[in-house]
C-alpha cells in the first residue's frame, strides 16, 4: 500500500511543479465556454437552456487534452518499466495514476464549472447539482481515460486516436450528468436517480479502467 | 542463489532473436553479454526481466527467501537505455521515490513491530550509500533535468543501491559515463557480487571485474 501512496504523492508533486497539464485544461475550458455566447448571440434563454450540455461537453474535451500524458511521461523516461518490476501490480499503478489525474485535473475543472456557468446564465437552482454531477462523474473520465492512454501510448501523434477511443466511452456519463442537471432545472426533483447511475458508472470505471489499461501496458512494453 | 535459463526461445515479430539458449549463473558471478549490435543482448535482458514473453524455455531464479511463484522481474533491478528519473524532481527526491516504491512493502511485512524511527532509518541509510557510491552527494538538491548526460546515468545507476534485489540486469550501463564513473560502477557491481548477488550486463567496456563469465551471442538470421 505504501508504494501506492508514494506514487500518488509523486504524481501530485509532479503535477504541481510542472503545472502545464492543469493550466492547459483550465484554459481550454474557459476559452470554449467563453466563445460560445459570442457565437450564439446574447439570447439568455437559449444560453441557459444549453448550459448544462455545454459545461459537460467542454469539460470532457478539456480533460481529454491532459489524458495523453497519463502514461507517456513515465514511458519516455523509463519510469514505467521500472515500476512494472515493483511488487505492486500494474493495475494498482494505473489506479494511482488515474487518481492523481483526477485530483490534479478533474477537481480543478469541476471547481471552474460553476464560475463558467455564470457566463452561460445557468439557472441558480442548478448550481448545486451541476457541481455534484461533475464531482461524481469525473472519476469515470480519468479511469476510462486510462484505457485510451495505455492503448495509444507509443502511437505517434496518438492524440486524435485517443479521442476516438475514449469519447464513446464517455457517452453514458455525459447523458446522465446532463439529465441530472435538467432534472434539477425542471424543479420536480428526481435528480438523485441520475446521480446514482452516474456514481455506478464511475465505480465501474474505477474497476474496469485499471484492469484494461494494465493489460494494454504489458503489451506495449514488449 | 541460482539463475537458470533453459533452452530459451524469444521471437520478435516473426524473427527469432534468441534460439535455444541455456546458461546458469550462481551467486557471486557476473555474466557479460558480448556480441555485435542487433544480436539480441537487449532482447535477452528484457526477456529475463519479464518484459518480453518467451516462446519456449524457462527462466528460473532460485534461492533462500525467494518465492518460486514470484516472477523473476520482481527480484531484479533493470537499468535500460532510459534512466527512469523525473527531470523536475531533485536527485534525492528521485532516489527517495524509488526507495519507497521498492523497499517499503517488504520491510513492512517483515518488521511490523518496529517503531517509526527505525523504519525510516534504512531508507536514509541506503540513500546515503547510493549517493556516495555514485558520487552524487553534491548534486543531491539539484533537479535531475539540470544534470549532464553522464550525471543522469549515474543517478539511474544509483537506483540499484536504494533497495536490495539479488539480480541486476544492466543494459549498456556505461553509456555516457567517464572513466572514473565506470570505475564507480565496477566497484558497485563488485560489492553486489561479493554480497551474493548476480549481475547480467551487456557492455562493451570492461568493468574491471574478476570472476566474470562471458556469453558471446552469435549472429543468426533464422526466420521462423
Amino acid at each position: 500500500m505504501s508504494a501506492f501512496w508514494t506514487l500518488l504523492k509523486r504524481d501530485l508533486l509532479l503535477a504541481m511543479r510542472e503545472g502545464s497539464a492543469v493550466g492547459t485544461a483550465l484554459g481550454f475550458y474557459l476559452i470554449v465556454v467563453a466563445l460560445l455566447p459570442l457565437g450564439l448571440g446574447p439570447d439568455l434563454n437559449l444560453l441557459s437552456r444549453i448550459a448544462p450540455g455545454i459545461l459537460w461537453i467542454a469539460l470532457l474535451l478539456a480533460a481529454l487534452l491532459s489524458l495523453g500524458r497519463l502514461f507517456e511521461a513515465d514511458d519516455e523516461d523509463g519510469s514505467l518499466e521500472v515500476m512494472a518490476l515493483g511488487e505492486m501490480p500494474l493495475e494498482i499503478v494505473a489506479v494511482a495514476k488515474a487518481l492523481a489525474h483526477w485530483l490534479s485535473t478533474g477537481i480543478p475543472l469541476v471547481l471552474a464549472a460553476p464560475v463558467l456557468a455564470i457566463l452561460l446564465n445557468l439557472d441558480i437552482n442548478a448550481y448545486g447539482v451541476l457541481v455534484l454531477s461533475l464531482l461524481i462523474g469525473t472519476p469515470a473520465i480519468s479511469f476510462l481515460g486510462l484505457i485510451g492512454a495505455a492503448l495509444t501510448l507509443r502511437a505517434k501523434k496518438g492524440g486524435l486516436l485517443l479521442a476516438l477511443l475514449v469519447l464513446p466511452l464517455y457517452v453514458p456519463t455525459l447523458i446522465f450528468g446532463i439529465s441530472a442537471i435538467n432534472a434539477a432545472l425542471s424543479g420536480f426533483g428526481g435528480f438523485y436517480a441520475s446521480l446514482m447511475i452516474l456514481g455506478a458508472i464511475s465505480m465501474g470505471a474505477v474497476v474496469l479502467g485499471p484492469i484494461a489499461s494494465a493489460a494494454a501496458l504489458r503489451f506495449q512494453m514488449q | 542463489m541460482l539463475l537458470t535459463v533453459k533452452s530459451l526461445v524469444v521471437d520478435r515479430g516473426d524473427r527469432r532473436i534468441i534460439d535455444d539458449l541455456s546458461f546458469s549463473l550462481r551467486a557471486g558471478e557476473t555474466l557479460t553479454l558480448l556480441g555485435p549490435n542487433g544480436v539480441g543482448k537487449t532482447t535477452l535482458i528484457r526477456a529475463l526481466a519479464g518484459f518480453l514473453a518467451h516462446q519456449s524455455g524457462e527462466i528460473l531464479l532460485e534461492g533462500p527467501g525467494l518465492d518460486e511463484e514470484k516472477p523473476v522481474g520482481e527480484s531484479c533491478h533493470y537499468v535500460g537505455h532510459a534512466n527512469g528519473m523525473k527531470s523536475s524532481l531533485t536527485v534525492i527526491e528521485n532516489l527517495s521515490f524509488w526507495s519507497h516504491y521498492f523497499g517499503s512493502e517488504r520491510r513492512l511485512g517483515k518488521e511490523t513491530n518496529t517503531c517509526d524511527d527505525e523504519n525510516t532509518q534504512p531508507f536514509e541509510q541506503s540513500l546515503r550509500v547510493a549517493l556516495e557510491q555514485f558520487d552524487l552527494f553534491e548534486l543531491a538538491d539539484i533537479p535531475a533535468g539540470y544534470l549532464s548526460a553522464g550525471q543522469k546515468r549515474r543517478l539511474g545507476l544509483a537506483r540499484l543501491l536504494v533497495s536490495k534485489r539479488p539480480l541486476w540486469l544492466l543494459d549498456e550501463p556505461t553509456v555516457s559515463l567517464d572513466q572514473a564513473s565506470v570505475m564507480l560502477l565496477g566497484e558497485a557491481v563488485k560489492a553486489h557480487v561479493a554480497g551474493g548477488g548476480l549481475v547480467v550486463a551487456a557492455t562493451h567496456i570492461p568493468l574491471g571485474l574478476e570472476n566474470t563469465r562471458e556469453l558471446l551471442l552469435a549472429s543468426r538470421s533464422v526466420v521462423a
Side-chain angles (χ1 to χ4, degrees):
Chain A
M1 221 34 208
S2 84
F4 177 81
W5 294 119
T6 309
L7 180 57
L8 181 64
K9 255 185 354 209
R10 185 200 71 159
D11 272 18
L12 289 176
L13 182 68
L14 284 173
M16 231 160 62
R17 283 216 187 142
E18 292 170 0
S20 59
V22 61
T24 315
L26 282 173
F28 182 82
Y29 197 21
L30 173 73
I31 295 277
V32 170
V33 174
L35 281 181
L36 217 88
L38 297 178
L40 292 176
D43 182 350
L44 288 181
N45 288 330
L46 173 70
L47 284 179
S48 62
R49 207 165 59 241
I50 60 170
I54 300 302
L55 288 169
W56 256 99
I57 292 173
L59 182 136
L60 283 185
L61 296 177
L64 200 65
L65 281 180
S66 54
L67 278 177
R69 292 298 287 172
L70 213 52
F71 291 115
E72 205 178 50
D74 277 333
D75 185 51
E76 277 166 5
D77 64 21
S79 303
L80 196 61
E81 286 182 339
V82 183
M83 278 180 212
L85 296 178
E87 278 162 29
M88 186 163 77
L90 269 179
E91 283 83 0
I92 311 292
V93 171
V95 173
K97 299 213 72 82
L99 195 57
H101 178 264
W102 182 63
L103 291 173
S104 67
T105 308
I107 296 280
L109 285 173
V110 171
L111 294 179
V115 182
L116 297 178
I118 299 170
L119 294 178
L120 297 175
N121 191 35
L122 183 71
D123 191 322
I124 192 74
N125 296 319
Y127 276 68
V129 180
L130 168 73
V131 174
L132 212 58
S133 74
L134 289 173
L135 210 56
I136 299 174
T138 40
I141 297 179
S142 295
F143 280 85
L144 290 175
L146 283 175
I147 304 174
L151 283 172
T152 57
L153 183 58
R154 289 188 179 166
K156 292 266 174 284
K157 303 255 189 287
L160 190 62
L161 187 61
L162 175 70
L164 288 176
L165 282 171
V166 164
L167 282 177
L169 298 178
Y170 291 162
V171 169
T173 302
L174 183 66
I175 289 173
F176 288 102
I178 293 171
S179 76
I181 303 173
N182 282 334
L185 280 173
S186 71
F188 297 119
F191 53 82
Y192 286 112
S194 294
L195 287 184
M196 253 143 49
I197 296 177
L198 210 53
I201 297 167
S202 285
M203 281 192 264
V206 168
V207 177
L208 257 169
I211 295 175
S213 64
L217 284 180
R218 288 199 184 94
F219 181 75
Q220 295 275 14
M221 274 191 277
Q222 292 238 331
Chain B
M1 199 75 65
L2 181 70
L3 173 71
T4 322
V5 172
K6 270 187 228 153
S7 27
L8 186 72
V9 177
V10 181
D11 289 347
R12 306 231 53 185
D14 51 6
R15 237 162 45 98
R16 179 146 295 183
I17 307 289
I18 295 172
D19 193 8
D20 197 19
L21 177 74
S22 302
F23 67 88
S24 68
L25 195 66
R26 278 191 308 276
E29 284 184 324
T30 308
L31 183 70
T32 311
L33 304 178
L34 298 170
N37 294 145
V39 81
K41 301 188 288 293
T42 296
T43 302
L44 175 57
I45 284 186
R46 291 181 64 82
L48 290 177
F51 293 131
L52 291 179
H54 45 270
Q55 270 57 43
S56 64
E58 269 187 302
I59 300 169
L60 282 172
L61 186 64
E62 300 154 297
L66 281 182
D67 187 356
E68 303 230 338
E69 299 285 301
K70 219 171 67 168
V72 176
E74 291 184 14
S75 307
C76 72
H77 272 306
Y78 168 79
V79 176
H81 300 288
N83 292 319
M85 295 294 163
K86 291 284 164 203
S87 47
S88 58
L89 298 183
T90 65
V91 166
I92 194 75
E93 281 171 336
N94 269 307
L95 285 179
S96 150
F97 164 69
W98 287 120
S99 154
H100 283 80
Y101 188 86
F102 280 126
S104 42
E105 274 183 313
R106 196 174 311 146
R107 206 160 278 127
L108 276 179
K110 280 190 180 164
E111 305 168 37
T112 39
N113 52 357
T114 50
C115 68
D116 277 350
D117 288 357
E118 286 173 50
N119 254 344
T120 53
Q121 197 64 33
F123 289 136
E124 297 183 349
Q125 186 70 26
S126 68
L127 287 184
R128 195 170 314 126
V129 169
L131 285 175
E132 262 164 18
Q133 179 62 50
F134 287 99
D135 197 17
L136 290 163
F137 226 103
E138 264 132 57
L139 305 171
D141 293 322
I142 294 179
Y146 294 161
L147 300 181
S148 78
Q151 288 169 330
K152 276 185 189 145
R153 193 62 181 167
R154 293 214 303 267
L155 177 56
L157 290 166
R159 199 183 70 228
L160 293 167
L161 298 177
V162 296
S163 70
K164 236 180 149 40
R165 289 189 157 195
L167 176 60
W168 286 7
L169 301 171
L170 311 176
D171 192 1
E172 301 283 1
T174 55
V175 169
S176 65
L177 288 184
D178 58 19
Q179 201 86 50
S181 305
V182 173
M183 298 289 285
L184 293 177
L185 172 63
E187 281 167 29
V189 168
K190 212 179 284 179
H192 177 66
V193 165
L198 296 82
V199 177
V200 177
T203 175
H204 296 285
I205 299 174
L207 297 173
L209 302 169
E210 309 106 46
N211 204 7
T212 306
R213 285 166 52 200
E214 288 179 353
L215 181 67
L216 183 67
L217 295 172
S219 163
R220 57 168 67 243
S221 46
V222 180
V223 176

